[in-house]
Amino acid sequence: MKQLYDRERLKNLLLERSVRLGDFTLSSGAASPYYVDARATTMTAEGQKLTGKIVYDLIETAGWDVSHIGGLTLGADPVTYAIAHHSTGRAHALDGFTVRKETKGHGTGRRIEGGLPTDARVVVVEDAVTSGASAVEAINVLRKHGASIAGVVCLVDREEGGRAKLDEIGLPLLAVFTGPELLAAAKEAAGAS
Protein backbone atom coordinates (compact mmCIF):
# COMPACT_ATOMS: atom_id res chain seq x y z
CA MET A 1 0.00 0.00 0.00
CA LYS A 2 2.82 2.43 0.93
CA GLN A 3 4.52 1.62 -2.39
CA LEU A 4 1.41 2.67 -4.31
CA TYR A 5 1.14 5.87 -2.29
CA ASP A 6 4.83 6.68 -2.92
CA ARG A 7 4.44 6.08 -6.66
CA GLU A 8 1.31 8.27 -6.78
CA ARG A 9 3.09 11.03 -4.84
CA LEU A 10 6.09 10.91 -7.20
CA LYS A 11 3.72 11.01 -10.18
CA ASN A 12 2.02 14.10 -8.72
CA LEU A 13 5.40 15.77 -8.16
CA LEU A 14 6.36 15.08 -11.78
CA LEU A 15 3.05 16.52 -12.96
CA GLU A 16 3.43 19.63 -10.78
CA ARG A 17 7.10 20.31 -11.47
CA SER A 18 8.32 18.46 -14.55
CA VAL A 19 5.65 17.74 -17.17
CA ARG A 20 4.82 20.55 -19.61
CA LEU A 21 2.25 20.52 -22.39
CA GLY A 22 2.95 22.41 -25.63
CA ASP A 23 5.11 22.05 -28.73
CA PHE A 24 8.60 20.78 -27.99
CA THR A 25 11.59 19.46 -29.90
CA LEU A 26 13.29 16.58 -28.09
CA SER A 27 17.04 15.87 -28.09
CA SER A 28 16.31 13.18 -30.69
CA GLY A 29 14.96 15.93 -32.96
CA ALA A 30 11.41 14.58 -32.77
CA ALA A 31 8.45 16.90 -32.15
CA SER A 32 6.40 16.23 -29.02
CA PRO A 33 3.19 17.63 -27.47
CA TYR A 34 4.78 17.32 -24.01
CA TYR A 35 8.14 17.60 -22.29
CA VAL A 36 9.37 16.01 -19.07
CA ASP A 37 12.20 17.81 -17.28
CA ALA A 38 12.55 15.20 -14.52
CA ARG A 39 15.39 17.15 -12.87
CA ALA A 40 12.85 19.69 -11.61
CA THR A 41 11.51 16.82 -9.51
CA THR A 42 14.54 14.60 -8.91
CA MET A 43 16.60 17.49 -7.55
CA THR A 44 14.07 18.31 -4.82
CA ALA A 45 14.31 16.81 -1.33
CA GLU A 46 11.01 14.95 -1.61
CA GLY A 47 11.74 13.90 -5.19
CA GLN A 48 15.09 12.48 -4.11
CA LYS A 49 13.51 10.48 -1.28
CA LEU A 50 10.72 9.04 -3.43
CA THR A 51 12.90 8.40 -6.49
CA GLY A 52 15.55 6.60 -4.46
CA LYS A 53 13.05 4.31 -2.74
CA ILE A 54 10.90 3.51 -5.77
CA VAL A 55 13.75 2.87 -8.22
CA TYR A 56 15.78 0.89 -5.67
CA ASP A 57 12.71 -1.31 -5.10
CA LEU A 58 12.36 -1.83 -8.89
CA ILE A 59 15.97 -3.03 -9.09
CA GLU A 60 15.51 -5.34 -6.09
CA THR A 61 12.24 -6.76 -7.45
CA ALA A 62 13.93 -7.46 -10.79
CA GLY A 63 16.53 -9.49 -8.89
CA TRP A 64 19.44 -7.74 -10.58
CA ASP A 65 22.60 -8.60 -8.66
CA VAL A 66 24.54 -5.35 -9.12
CA SER A 67 27.00 -3.25 -7.18
CA HIS A 68 26.83 0.09 -9.01
CA ILE A 69 24.31 2.38 -10.68
CA GLY A 70 24.76 5.36 -12.94
CA GLY A 71 24.41 6.79 -16.39
CA LEU A 72 25.15 9.64 -18.73
CA THR A 73 25.33 13.03 -17.03
CA LEU A 74 23.18 15.11 -16.32
CA GLY A 75 19.72 13.56 -16.26
CA ALA A 76 20.91 10.31 -14.67
CA ASP A 77 22.87 12.01 -11.89
CA PRO A 78 20.14 12.97 -9.39
CA VAL A 79 18.36 9.64 -9.93
CA THR A 80 21.63 7.76 -9.37
CA TYR A 81 22.46 9.65 -6.18
CA ALA A 82 18.93 9.19 -4.81
CA ILE A 83 19.14 5.41 -5.31
CA ALA A 84 22.65 5.19 -3.83
CA HIS A 85 21.59 7.19 -0.79
CA HIS A 86 18.46 5.08 -0.29
CA SER A 87 20.51 1.86 -0.55
CA THR A 88 22.58 2.74 2.53
CA GLY A 89 21.86 0.16 5.22
CA ARG A 90 19.78 -2.00 2.85
CA ALA A 91 20.62 -5.59 1.89
CA HIS A 92 22.39 -4.40 -1.29
CA ALA A 93 24.20 -1.09 -1.08
CA LEU A 94 24.66 0.43 -4.53
CA ASP A 95 27.44 2.88 -5.29
CA GLY A 96 26.93 5.52 -7.94
CA PHE A 97 28.98 6.62 -10.92
CA THR A 98 28.63 9.21 -13.68
CA VAL A 99 29.49 8.79 -17.35
CA ARG A 100 30.74 12.06 -18.81
CA LYS A 101 29.54 13.13 -22.26
CA GLU A 102 33.18 13.28 -23.31
CA THR A 103 36.52 12.37 -21.83
CA LYS A 104 37.77 14.80 -19.22
CA GLY A 105 40.35 17.03 -20.91
CA HIS A 106 42.56 17.48 -17.84
CA GLY A 107 43.65 15.68 -14.69
CA THR A 108 43.14 11.93 -15.03
CA GLY A 109 41.24 12.18 -18.33
CA ARG A 110 38.44 9.88 -17.18
CA ARG A 111 35.12 9.41 -18.89
CA ILE A 112 33.60 7.59 -15.89
CA GLU A 113 33.62 9.29 -12.48
CA GLY A 114 33.02 7.59 -9.14
CA GLY A 115 35.69 4.90 -8.92
CA LEU A 116 33.84 2.24 -10.91
CA PRO A 117 35.80 -1.07 -10.83
CA THR A 118 36.48 -2.56 -14.26
CA ASP A 119 34.61 -5.76 -13.38
CA ALA A 120 31.55 -4.04 -11.85
CA ARG A 121 28.04 -5.31 -12.54
CA VAL A 122 25.89 -2.23 -13.09
CA VAL A 123 22.44 -0.85 -13.82
CA VAL A 124 22.34 2.05 -16.27
CA VAL A 125 20.10 4.86 -15.02
CA GLU A 126 18.12 7.39 -17.08
CA ASP A 127 15.63 10.03 -16.04
CA ALA A 128 13.68 9.61 -19.30
CA VAL A 129 14.14 7.25 -22.24
CA THR A 130 13.00 8.38 -25.68
CA SER A 131 15.13 6.90 -28.49
CA GLY A 132 17.50 5.15 -26.08
CA ALA A 133 20.55 6.90 -27.53
CA SER A 134 21.84 8.23 -24.18
CA ALA A 135 21.49 4.83 -22.52
CA VAL A 136 23.28 3.12 -25.42
CA GLU A 137 26.08 5.69 -25.29
CA ALA A 138 26.56 5.02 -21.56
CA ILE A 139 26.39 1.24 -22.15
CA ASN A 140 29.10 1.41 -24.82
CA VAL A 141 31.41 3.41 -22.53
CA LEU A 142 30.77 1.03 -19.63
CA ARG A 143 31.37 -2.09 -21.70
CA LYS A 144 34.64 -0.62 -23.02
CA HIS A 145 35.59 -0.02 -19.36
CA GLY A 146 34.95 -3.71 -18.61
CA ALA A 147 31.67 -3.44 -16.67
CA SER A 148 28.76 -5.79 -17.31
CA ILE A 149 25.26 -4.36 -17.49
CA ALA A 150 22.22 -6.05 -15.94
CA GLY A 151 19.72 -3.63 -17.47
CA VAL A 152 18.47 -0.08 -17.70
CA VAL A 153 16.09 1.66 -15.29
CA CYS A 154 14.35 4.99 -15.83
CA LEU A 155 11.72 7.21 -14.30
CA VAL A 156 9.89 7.74 -17.60
CA ASP A 157 9.79 5.56 -20.70
CA ARG A 158 8.32 7.81 -23.38
CA GLU A 159 7.64 4.65 -25.42
CA GLU A 160 9.21 6.14 -28.55
CA GLY A 161 11.67 3.43 -29.58
CA GLY A 162 14.09 3.30 -26.67
CA ARG A 163 12.88 -0.04 -25.34
CA ALA A 164 13.21 -1.62 -28.80
CA LYS A 165 16.74 -0.27 -29.17
CA LEU A 166 17.70 -1.77 -25.80
CA ASP A 167 16.00 -5.06 -26.71
CA GLU A 168 18.23 -5.17 -29.83
CA ILE A 169 21.33 -5.18 -27.61
CA GLY A 170 19.82 -7.66 -25.19
CA LEU A 171 19.11 -5.38 -22.23
CA PRO A 172 15.82 -5.06 -20.35
CA LEU A 173 14.31 -1.69 -19.48
CA LEU A 174 12.40 -1.05 -16.27
CA ALA A 175 10.37 2.17 -15.98
CA VAL A 176 8.45 3.74 -13.12
CA PHE A 177 6.12 5.64 -15.48
CA THR A 178 5.34 5.78 -19.18
CA GLY A 179 5.13 8.98 -21.18
CA PRO A 180 1.55 8.26 -22.30
CA GLU A 181 0.53 7.78 -18.65
CA LEU A 182 2.01 11.16 -17.66
CA LEU A 183 0.64 12.88 -20.77
CA ALA A 184 -2.90 11.64 -20.06
CA ALA A 185 -2.66 12.73 -16.42
CA ALA A 186 -1.31 16.16 -17.42
CA LYS A 187 -4.12 16.67 -19.95
CA GLU A 188 -6.68 15.62 -17.34
CA ALA A 189 -5.20 18.05 -14.81
CA ALA A 190 -5.14 20.86 -17.39
CA GLY A 191 -8.79 20.19 -18.24
CA ALA A 192 -9.76 20.32 -14.57
CA SER A 193 -8.14 23.73 -13.99
Side-chain angles (χ1 to χ4, degrees):
M1 191 62 141
K2 175 84 167 112
Q3 235 175 356
L4 289 174
Y5 171 80
D6 289 342
R7 184 182 185 282
E8 196 61 26
R9 181 61 194 139
L10 182 56
K11 180 179 173 182
N12 288 335
L13 272 179
L14 285 166
L15 292 170
E16 291 166 19
R17 301 183 64 91
S18 298
V19 179
R20 299 290 173 260
L21 300 175
D23 296 315
F24 300 94
T25 302
L26 305 176
S27 61
S28 65
S32 176
Y34 73 105
Y35 184 74
V36 181
D37 179 2
R39 291 167 298 193
T41 295
T42 61
M43 290 182 168
T44 66
E46 186 178 13
Q48 281 273 296
K49 181 178 177 179
L50 293 167
T51 298
K53 179 184 185 320
I54 291 167
V55 181
Y56 178 87
D57 288 349
L58 266 181
I59 294 167
E60 286 291 294
T61 300
W64 291 345
D65 181 24
V66 296
S67 58
H68 290 75
I69 48 168
L72 196 65
T73 197
L74 177 71
D77 295 342
V79 178
T80 295
Y81 306 147
I83 300 164
H85 179 85
H86 179 81
S87 76
T88 304
R90 303 289 187 296
H92 298 98
L94 301 173
D95 289 334
F97 63 86
T98 295
V99 177
R100 291 175 173 273
K101 292 190 186 213
E102 35 188 71
T103 303
K104 187 174 174 182
H106 59 281
T108 58
R110 285 189 293 247
R111 179 104 192 251
I112 302 170
E113 297 293 347
L116 184 70
T118 55
D119 62 348
R121 184 145 167 84
V122 306
V123 171
V124 172
V125 175
E126 285 282 350
D127 57 353
V129 170
T130 303
S131 69
S134 293
V136 170
E137 181 178 347
I139 289 161
N140 290 337
V141 170
L142 291 163
R143 285 182 170 162
K144 186 176 178 185
H145 180 74
S148 60
I149 294 99
V152 178
V153 67
C154 68
L155 275 185
V156 183
D157 175 6
R158 291 182 56 97
E159 297 186 336
E160 295 178 19
R163 184 178 297 275
K165 185 175 274 190
L166 293 168
D167 283 346
E168 285 174 15
I169 60 173
L171 291 175
L173 171 66
L174 299 177
V176 179
F177 304 102
T178 67
E181 173 187 6
L182 293 177
L183 177 58
K187 284 181 174 179
E188 183 179 322
S193 47

